[in-house]
Amino acid sequence: AQSVTQLDSQVPVFEEAPVELRCNYSSSVSVYLFWYVQYPNQGLQLLLKYLSGSTLVKGINGFEAEFNKSQTSFHLRKPSVHISDTAEYFCAVSEEAGGTSYGKLTFGQGTILTVHP
Amino acid sequence: DTEVTQTPKHLVMGMTNKKSLKCEQHMGHRAMYWYKQKAKKPPELMFVYSYEKLSINESVPSRFSPECPNSSLLNLHLHALQPEDSALYLCASSSRPGLNNEQFFGPGTRLTVL
């Protein structure tokens, strides 16, 4: 079965500083990886995804993530954050066909990013 | 149209009430999902519909009853809920069941059970 670990429950940063939100996953088969953002009292919005190909993935709002298969990681980065990036961020994994969790999206526990002026 | 809509946005119900949540998408997606999200927690999968058939039920209590009348619509019927069922209920859809599983989420229904 697949699992996702987000290593930091809360990350405070100052505006215009860089940020990295960490995500590690576990699976016995190949996976697809996603980062979603959730603003207060809203649903989830897809930031970016890794399906195959280039391990550096660029998403919306200036975010990017790098898939590292050897370290089973998919960390999210932004070189300069804005106040409006304050939200909760979820890393999620989905297994390719053959996995015991095929058809399911498994989420990490979430990281609350707070950007201070 | 690239969005998933959910109604109502907010719902308050007593433990003896019967109510329904509605979810709609017009992206031609053939997989639809119900999630429950408690405060400061990730979404927890409840049900998956695949080509209008229930394919996954994550051992959800029978007081939650899903229904998929057609490929665009997903309902969640609620009956005799408990206060601990209060949560944000999210609907999502994806193009094909299992295919990379990129899911599009609705804004959710905030449910309060008194």
Side-chain angles (χ1 to χ4, degrees):
Chain A
Q2 59 199 12
S3 67
V4 182
T5 302
Q6 290 183 242
L7 296 156
D8 306 295
S9 59
Q10 297 192 57
V11 173
V13 294
F14 287 106
E15 195 173 18
E16 298 183 6
V19 71
E20 178 180 81
L21 306 184
R22 296 179 293 168
C23 172
N24 286 89
Y25 69 92
S26 168
S27 175
S28 56
V29 299
S30 295
V31 298
Y32 305 113
L33 294 155
F34 307 87
W35 276 98
Y36 283 87
V37 60
Q38 187 174 32
Y39 299 100
N41 299 311
Q42 293 188 27
L44 276 70
Q45 180 184 8
L46 182 67
L47 272 179
L48 48 78
K49 61 189 177 191
Y50 172 78
L51 304 180
S52 65
S54 173
T55 57
L56 183 62
V57 179
K58 294 192 183 297
I60 63 171
N61 301 342
F63 284 94
E64 63 180 34
E66 185 152 20
F67 170 57
N68 188 320
K69 189 173 181 179
S70 62
Q71 296 188 7
T72 60
S73 67
F74 190 55
H75 300 331
L76 181 70
R77 302 185 183 101
K78 186 169 182 178
S80 175
V81 294
H82 302 290
I83 299 285
S84 58
D85 293 322
T86 295
E88 186 156 22
Y89 292 78
F90 291 98
C91 181
V93 62
S94 175
E95 289 184 333
E96 287 188 348
T100 57
S101 299
Y102 180 64
K104 298 183 186 180
L105 193 60
T106 300
F107 290 90
Q109 290 298 304
T111 298
I112 297 174
L113 174 64
T114 305
V115 181
H116 298 284
Chain B
D1 188 355
T2 59
E3 65 172 2
V4 177
T5 59
Q6 290 187 244
T7 54
K9 289 179 71 72
H10 301 275
L11 178 63
V12 179
M13 59 187 290
M15 290 190 285
T16 58
N17 292 157
K18 284 186 181 181
K19 297 286 184 184
S20 296
L21 310 184
K22 179 179 172 182
C23 172
E24 202 160 1
Q25 57 85 16
H26 296 286
M27 295 179 278
H29 288 177
R30 303 309 301 273
M32 296 186 76
Y33 311 79
W34 278 116
Y35 290 87
K36 173 182 177 180
Q37 187 180 25
K38 302 283 276 186
K40 305 210 183 298
K41 294 289 186 184
E44 295 175 20
L45 183 65
M46 300 174 72
F47 302 104
V48 181
Y49 270 83
S50 178
Y51 296 99
E52 296 89 70
K53 296 275 191 287
L54 183 64
S55 61
I56 296 176
N57 177 340
E58 292 288 86
S59 303
V60 178
S62 60
R63 57 185 184 269
F64 295 91
S65 175
E67 179 197 18
C68 189
N70 59 58
S71 60
S72 300
L73 193 56
L74 185 66
N75 298 320
L76 186 63
H77 303 297
L78 314 172
H79 173 55
L81 294 193
Q82 304 296 310
E84 60 264 28
D85 296 321
S86 297
L88 181 67
Y89 287 84
L90 294 164
C91 174
S93 69
S94 65
S95 58
R96 294 293 181 268
L99 178 66
N100 74 49
N101 233 344
E102 177 183 350
Q103 296 182 19
F104 293 78
F105 284 81
T109 293
R110 177 75 60 188
L111 174 68
T112 303
V113 182
L114 301 175

